[in-house]
Amino acid sequence: MDGNGRWAKQRNLPRHAGHIAGVETVREVVRISAELGIGVLTLFAFSSENWRRPREEVGLLMNLFLTALQREITRLHKNQVQLRIIGDRTALPKPLQDKIDSAETLTQHNTGLKLVIAANYGGHWDLTQAARQLYEQIRAGQITPEDVTQERLGAHTCLANLPDPDLFIRTGGEQRISNFLLWQLAYTELYFTETLWPDFNTTAFQQALRFYATRQRRFGRTGDQIQQDTP
Ligand code: IPE
Ligand code: MG
């Protein structure tokens, strides 16, 4: 979700106004995703590198996250949304950690959209913590180094029991992954748009989904093989 700051700047507003507008986009995108029956929606809200921003902006973002959770959780729960936060939450402010814990517990058995929010998340961090878990298991004698397979490493990443993403959307004109789901994006369709996140409305979302619908997903196979398999 990129482009909040530039959206605000275009309007001669403080960056924070862009982040507030961005929260409204999140609400809309979540609503549409649930409506369309999308299984999982993962939003990159705050990266492990975003701490490098001015202290004031970081503080405002944390507050915004907390107030948005407080304000939205009842509605999300009512709409059967299952909420999960990925990332190193130990560095987040304590009130936010508590709210995250209670929101996850409240919605854990919901059967609708799985909404994953990446907060203090980084793909490098994710793979490192997965590797560390396996190392601990080896040290405890539970597994041997030969047991460290692709499947086992993947099973210790944050999105372990969820399917890999089908579509990646980056708003705001940059064409990079910026340390998002590095492991899980291996075969994901990548979609980049100039649209700034606060402007990413229903039409823009539908355009991204239409792009996805035109892609042929081969997963290493040939186009002919895929055509033979599709009735
Ligand atoms: C939002 O957009 C991303 C967050 C980290 C919350 P930006 O704040 O990166 O907006 P730009 O790139 O300055 O426009
Ligand atoms: Mg940015």
mmCIF file of all heavy atoms in Angstrom, residues 2-3 6 53 170, ligand 2:
data_model
loop_
_atom_site.group_PDB
_atom_site.id
_atom_site.type_symbol
_atom_site.label_atom_id
_atom_site.label_comp_id
_atom_site.label_asym_id
_atom_site.label_seq_id
_atom_site.Cartn_x
_atom_site.Cartn_y
_atom_site.Cartn_z
ATOM 1 N N ASP A 2 1.196 1.729 -1.194
ATOM 2 C CA ASP A 2 2.174 2.811 -1.283
ATOM 3 C C ASP A 2 1.546 4.047 -1.916
ATOM 4 O O ASP A 2 0.698 3.943 -2.792
ATOM 5 C CB ASP A 2 3.366 2.336 -2.135
ATOM 6 C CG ASP A 2 4.601 3.189 -1.894
ATOM 7 O OD1 ASP A 2 4.611 3.987 -0.929
ATOM 8 O OD2 ASP A 2 5.549 3.074 -2.686
ATOM 9 N N GLY A 3 1.982 5.211 -1.454
ATOM 10 C CA GLY A 3 1.550 6.459 -2.082
ATOM 11 C C GLY A 3 0.751 7.385 -1.183
ATOM 12 O O GLY A 3 0.289 8.433 -1.644
ATOM 13 N N ARG A 6 2.523 10.924 -0.908
ATOM 14 C CA ARG A 6 2.432 11.725 -2.135
ATOM 15 C C ARG A 6 1.005 12.211 -2.361
ATOM 16 O O ARG A 6 0.773 13.321 -2.809
ATOM 17 C CB ARG A 6 2.927 10.896 -3.333
ATOM 18 C CG ARG A 6 4.437 10.918 -3.461
ATOM 19 C CD ARG A 6 4.915 9.813 -4.361
ATOM 20 N NE ARG A 6 4.832 8.525 -3.705
ATOM 21 C CZ ARG A 6 4.897 7.356 -4.348
ATOM 22 N NH1 ARG A 6 5.016 7.334 -5.667
ATOM 23 N NH2 ARG A 6 4.851 6.231 -3.681
ATOM 24 N N ARG A 53 11.681 5.861 9.301
ATOM 25 C CA ARG A 53 10.960 7.122 9.057
ATOM 26 C C ARG A 53 11.059 8.025 10.278
ATOM 27 O O ARG A 53 11.400 7.570 11.372
ATOM 28 C CB ARG A 53 9.493 6.810 8.765
ATOM 29 C CG ARG A 53 9.351 6.078 7.451
ATOM 30 C CD ARG A 53 7.914 5.969 7.033
ATOM 31 N NE ARG A 53 7.888 5.377 5.703
ATOM 32 C CZ ARG A 53 6.908 5.529 4.821
ATOM 33 N NH1 ARG A 53 5.862 6.251 5.135
ATOM 34 N NH2 ARG A 53 6.988 4.973 3.638
ATOM 35 N N ARG A 170 1.014 -3.663 -6.228
ATOM 36 C CA ARG A 170 1.725 -2.549 -5.612
ATOM 37 C C ARG A 170 1.231 -1.253 -6.220
ATOM 38 O O ARG A 170 1.309 -1.057 -7.432
ATOM 39 C CB ARG A 170 3.235 -2.638 -5.792
ATOM 40 C CG ARG A 170 3.882 -1.432 -5.084
ATOM 41 C CD ARG A 170 5.367 -1.514 -4.959
ATOM 42 N NE ARG A 170 5.832 -0.391 -4.159
ATOM 43 C CZ ARG A 170 6.901 -0.406 -3.397
ATOM 44 N NH1 ARG A 170 7.610 -1.490 -3.316
ATOM 45 N NH2 ARG A 170 7.244 0.656 -2.710
HETATM 46 MG MG MG B 2 6.262 4.981 -0.072
#
